[in-house]
Amino acid sequence: MLPGVLALIGRSLRTDSRSRQAHLIRLGLLGLIYLALWLAIWRQSSFGAPGLRFFYGIGYLNLVVMSLLGISYFATSISEEKEEEALGLMMMAWISALWILFGKSGGRLFQAAVLLILQYPFALLAITMGGVTQDQISAAFVALAAYMMLLFGLGLVCSTIGASNRLAIGWTIVGLSAYVLVPLFAVGTRATLIRIGVAGSGFPSDLILMLVDKVAQVSVFQRMGIILTTGFDESKLSLQVISNFSLGLILCLLAWLLFGSYALRPVTAATSRGMIARSRGRMRWFSPGRAWTNPFIWKDFYFVSGGLGMVATRCLFCVGLAVISLFTDFAINGRLNADISFYQLFLSLAVAIDAGRVLARSVQDEIRERTLSSLLMLPRTSAYVVYSKFAGALLGWLPGLVVDALVSVTPHEGWRNFH
């Protein structure tokens, strides 16, 4: 059994070392670190504590990169074997479920950990630049390591229960969104309870306030904001570190328990209809209807991007995220300030992930169903077919792009006056 596990880990490491995409990601991360260093040096004459600003860029850059790794890297460790129908062969080689999970995902966790560890010497440069201490750097990397463990467990369990890479990535995005939004809503709720004078009024109110406060402390985004504050002097083992690491281990255990129920389920090759409704009853507005003049745009808009149902879902997501962000800002400050950076950062990340997902699926579905060669034989140029498919896939992605653009160009004074 052990040679089989080592073979799986070795194969994962060799595949990653030979992947051009993995090396480009590392090179891009290194370039962004140097960019953050250059910006900190360039602005040190205008703002104090250049080291803190440099480390601020490194910290939040790692949060974005780790979130992308959790969605695209950890969430496909088992589901890719399901699509290739190779899990049955592994189990026939007398490799247990635990060792399959460890062998397929252990190499990916090792690569992500190495990527984080190698940044530590660069982060120490912030101490010499001034404004940050070694305790802050150590606390930030401990918090990032716990967050990485949480993403690893979430991706592993979603990859175990997902029948395909697309479903596994989708469930991971849902779980990550809940991890970000629930503590953010808890921050606003806690500030509201304190503002209306609930604190100290008795047993039920104090218990609710304590629970809400604990939920808010689970988020690594809230923890990084505390660590990157001047004068930070707290323990490295915070509630965020303990809860994220523990939840990651629990999710890994859950993936092991669910492996036998979901691993050998047959993978259906048919294209999912998603939120596409039939042209009957009250849901006929969400049905595809007749093909448009350009059938490529019509097909990808409805069957790749999700049609009008997913457009409405994306709009509700953007509006809900805005409501939670504005509620939190109003609860803390008593009015709507100009600080919409968190909303814009998370929305931009969500829009980028959604765009990449629909574009990848636009071509992947044709390759998986072996219809791409037939499409290219039609009396249309290859560029016309491909760009039409991309246009149809991105039609359903427009709501996030429009809201993101409006947030970017809206003057901050407009947010201040909206109260």
Side-chain angles (χ1 to χ4, degrees):
M1 182 180 298
L2 186 58
V5 176
L6 295 178
L8 291 177
I9 296 177
R11 176 196 172 198
S12 176
L13 295 176
R14 285 195 303 270
T15 302
D16 183 79
S17 64
R18 297 171 183 173
S19 173
R20 182 180 303 176
Q21 181 181 4
H23 293 298
L24 288 177
I25 291 175
R26 297 186 183 99
L27 182 61
L29 180 60
L30 180 62
L32 291 175
I33 291 176
Y34 275 107
L35 178 61
L37 177 61
W38 177 79
L39 289 175
I41 296 175
W42 178 55
R43 302 182 66 181
Q44 66 179 349
S45 59
S46 303
F47 302 94
L52 182 60
R53 291 187 173 273
F54 170 54
F55 189 62
Y56 184 92
I58 292 181
Y60 282 97
L61 175 63
N62 274 278
L63 288 179
V64 174
V65 171
M66 284 188 183
S67 300
L68 293 176
L69 284 177
I71 293 172
S72 61
Y73 197 50
F74 294 148
T76 58
S77 56
I78 303 300
S79 57
E80 65 181 10
E81 299 295 338
K82 291 183 181 180
E83 291 189 345
E84 297 174 2
E85 299 182 355
L87 281 181
L89 297 177
M90 293 181 185
M91 299 184 72
M92 289 175 62
W94 296 99
I95 302 178
S96 65
L98 177 62
W99 292 114
I100 290 177
L101 291 173
F102 178 74
K104 285 295 301 175
S105 60
R108 303 192 179 200
L109 181 61
F110 174 77
Q111 293 286 350
V114 169
L115 189 64
L116 180 64
I117 294 172
L118 291 179
Q119 297 179 55
Y120 191 78
F122 291 95
L124 293 178
L125 290 175
I127 300 177
T128 62
M129 297 173 65
V132 66
T133 64
Q134 187 170 0
D135 289 339
Q136 285 178 285
I137 295 177
S138 300
F141 273 84
V142 170
L144 290 172
Y147 179 57
M148 180 176 64
M149 187 63 196
L150 172 65
L151 290 176
F152 174 73
L154 177 62
L156 187 61
V157 71
C158 292
S159 183
T160 301
I161 65 177
S164 63
N165 287 337
R166 184 171 68 244
L167 291 176
I169 290 174
W171 283 114
T172 306
I173 292 175
V174 172
L176 182 58
S177 300
Y179 173 81
V180 173
L181 297 180
V182 172
L184 180 63
F185 183 77
V187 171
T189 304
R190 178 181 179 275
T192 302
L193 293 176
I194 294 176
R195 188 178 298 276
I196 63 179
V198 172
S201 60
F203 164 70
S205 302
D206 289 344
L207 179 61
I208 294 175
L209 186 63
M210 183 190 68
L211 292 176
V212 171
D213 184 53
K214 296 301 182 183
V215 171
Q217 295 178 23
V218 168
S219 174
V220 69
F221 297 94
Q222 305 294 331
R223 178 62 178 171
M224 287 297 292
I226 297 174
I227 293 174
L228 296 175
T229 303
T230 303
F232 171 81
D233 187 19
E234 296 183 9
S235 174
K236 301 178 183 64
L237 295 178
S238 62
L239 178 61
Q240 178 267 327
V241 173
I242 298 174
S243 62
N244 285 196
F245 192 83
S246 301
L247 184 57
L249 291 178
I250 292 174
L251 289 174
C252 291
L253 178 61
L254 182 62
W256 179 31
L257 296 176
L258 296 177
F259 186 86
S261 301
Y262 289 90
L264 298 180
R265 287 188 178 182
V267 179
T268 57
T271 303
S272 173
R273 294 181 63 89
M275 299 186 68
I276 305 300
R278 300 184 183 276
S279 56
R280 300 175 184 174
R282 300 179 180 178
M283 300 297 293
R284 62 181 181 275
W285 293 103
F286 295 101
S287 65
R290 294 184 177 182
W292 300 344
T293 304
N294 189 324
F296 303 109
I297 298 179
W298 168 82
K299 187 258 185 183
D300 279 60
F301 171 68
Y302 279 102
F303 295 98
V304 173
S305 184
L308 296 177
M310 281 304 300
V311 169
T313 302
R314 291 182 176 97
C315 290
L316 290 176
F317 173 79
C318 295
V319 173
L321 180 60
V323 169
I324 293 177
S325 301
L326 294 177
F327 166 72
T328 305
D329 189 29
F330 182 79
I332 295 175
N333 302 300
R335 61 188 182 89
L336 298 180
N337 293 329
D339 188 11
I340 56 173
S341 56
F342 177 81
Y343 173 73
Q344 190 171 4
L345 172 65
F346 189 74
L347 181 61
S348 300
L349 181 62
V351 168
I353 293 173
D354 191 23
R357 184 187 64 85
V358 296
L359 287 177
R361 185 183 171 189
S362 177
V363 179
Q364 183 188 27
D365 285 353
E366 304 294 347
I367 295 176
R368 187 179 67 250
E369 298 172 7
R370 301 178 181 178
T371 56
L372 184 60
S373 58
S374 301
L375 290 179
L376 297 179
M377 292 175 62
L378 295 174
R380 295 287 186 178
T381 62
S382 301
Y384 178 87
V385 174
V386 174
Y387 290 141
S388 296
K389 287 178 64 61
F390 284 173
L394 292 180
L395 272 180
W397 170 74
L398 282 179
L401 179 63
V402 171
V403 174
D404 195 16
L406 289 177
V407 170
S408 301
V409 302
T410 298
H412 289 172
E413 288 76 14
W415 291 82
R416 285 196 188 99
N417 298 328
F418 187 73
H419 67 276

